[in-house]
Amino acid sequence: MFGLFAAAALQFTPQTIATDLKGGYQVVAVDMNKDGRPDLLALASGMSELVWYENPTWQRHVIVSDVKRMINVWPMDVDKDGVPELLLAHAFENEAARSVGIVSYLHFDGKGWTIREIDRLTTSHRLRSANGLFINSPLTGASAVAPEYRDHTLLVAYAPPDFQRRQISVDDEGVVHGIFIHDWNRDGLDDVLTASFKGIWVNLAHRDGTWTPAADFGGRSGALAEERGERCYGGPPAKGAISGGDRALARQPGEHLSLPPQGVAEAGHRPFSDRRAYDSCG
């Protein structure tokens, strides 16, 4: 009961941090200067500067400049010095034929930031990290053309220190617009979930560095998929369902993939069936 009253009394005060982020696209909370406070890494596609804002005064810092058409950035402390290295996707366009898809590695040497191109993969779009690797999920395949974007879409990883491209999967099709890192099978390794026109794929990581893409875990498909398809769309069960015993998640083709807090939090020793992953009708 005390927790409920405390939550009801909680108040938030809005604070303007920046007003000049043209084409603001992504914000990541991460400690950028080893002071134990979460700072804000901000990416705006209409700007040529990648910036971060220092907590608690929100002083603006420029990481790199003269970088065009940025679309995603992700931090990972590769050298374990307390300051994260960054992977940046830029020179992005929605149309594969016009998208250079540059992937660059950014490192802070104690005095300033350096930037090094490590790959070119058309429509490089969603960047994350898993098991000490940077993950890159492009928006479409290289031959994709609107409106159906028919092509297989790569999912790749980059491992330090050489950052050579490693293929995880080529099983997604069409537009891939959702990616989530989560230990799906509870083996202590990060798995990569992607959402595309084909449905949801769970790419299972193995300790030897290989991956197993899986679209269906077998077993019953789960009431979540059937109920969501009929309730939200008035049609047949939602496509793209993945299940394994009591575990299930589903999405309608073309939608984002999202996991609510109960989908990833370890709440005591509740069985996995009590922690569900879904995206809402809206």
Side-chain angles (χ1 to χ4, degrees), residues 204-215:
L204 298 174
H206 302 292
R207 299 193 184 281
D208 63 359
T210 61
W211 301 77
T212 300

Side-chain angles (χ1 to χ4, degrees), residues 1-279:
M1 290 295 291
F2 176 77
L4 293 176
F5 285 117
L10 189 63
Q11 295 183 347
F12 294 90
T13 302
Q15 182 177 356
T16 300
I17 296 174
T19 59
D20 60 344
L21 294 172
K22 182 182 178 182
Y25 194 84
Q26 183 190 19
V27 176
V28 180
V30 59
D31 184 2
M32 293 290 292
N33 57 354
K34 299 191 294 185
D35 66 356
R37 297 188 179 99
D39 305 300
L40 295 179
L41 181 60
L43 179 147
S45 296
M47 295 175 55
S48 60
E49 293 179 333
L50 180 66
V51 299
W52 68 278
Y53 297 91
E54 184 177 350
N55 187 350
T57 63
W58 307 118
Q59 179 181 351
R60 185 180 189 270
H61 301 269
V62 177
I63 300 172
V64 291
S65 57
D66 197 27
V67 182
K68 302 295 193 300
R69 297 293 297 166
M70 295 179 290
I71 193 67
N72 232 229
V73 64
W74 197 256
M76 182 172 69
D77 191 2
V78 174
D79 58 12
K80 308 302 181 185
D81 67 347
V83 177
E85 280 65 46
L86 306 174
L87 201 68
L88 178 67
H90 52 112
F92 172 84
E93 298 289 345
N94 285 314
E95 297 178 27
R98 299 192 302 117
S99 180
V100 179
I102 300 176
V103 181
S104 295
Y105 176 72
L106 283 64
H107 171 73
F108 185 72
D109 62 9
K111 297 180 180 179
W113 288 88
T114 62
I115 180 169
R116 172 167 63 100
E117 181 179 323
I118 64 169
D119 197 11
R120 293 195 175 197
L121 181 58
T122 183
T123 70
S124 291
H125 186 240
R126 292 283 189 255
L127 304 177
R128 297 294 185 268
S129 60
N131 307 314
L133 308 172
F134 280 115
I135 308 296
N136 179 8
S137 176
L139 182 69
T140 70
S143 301
V145 178
E148 295 185 345
Y149 297 96
R150 291 187 180 275
D151 195 8
H152 287 275
T153 308
L154 280 169
L155 178 67
V156 303
Y158 307 102
D162 59 3
F163 297 103
Q164 293 297 309
R165 185 199 299 176
R166 303 181 183 183
Q167 181 175 308
I168 296 176
S169 170
V170 71
D171 292 294
D172 276 307
E173 294 181 9
V175 173
V176 180
H177 211 267
I179 180 171
F180 197 88
I181 309 301
H182 177 58
D183 182 3
W184 177 261
N185 57 357
R186 288 181 159 191
D187 64 352
L189 295 176
D190 296 325
D191 305 309
V192 182
L193 287 78
T194 58
S196 70
F197 283 1
K198 192 172 182 179
I200 291 179
W201 288 88
V202 178
N203 299 277
L204 298 174
H206 302 292
R207 299 193 184 281
D208 63 359
T210 61
W211 301 77
T212 300
D216 190 344
F217 275 73
R220 56 192 175 87
S221 62
L224 177 62
E226 181 175 353
E227 185 273 337
R228 187 181 183 282
E230 294 183 354
R231 175 172 57 85
C232 299
Y233 299 96
K239 298 179 181 178
I242 302 175
S243 65
D246 289 335
R247 296 171 298 174
L249 57 85
R251 62 179 286 280
Q252 195 74 3
E255 289 189 301
H256 292 236
L257 169 66
S258 61
L259 291 174
Q262 66 265 34
V264 296
E266 293 291 337
H269 297 284
R270 290 188 300 162
F272 194 90
S273 58
D274 287 342
R275 296 192 302 277
R276 295 177 297 276
Y278 64 91
D279 48 22

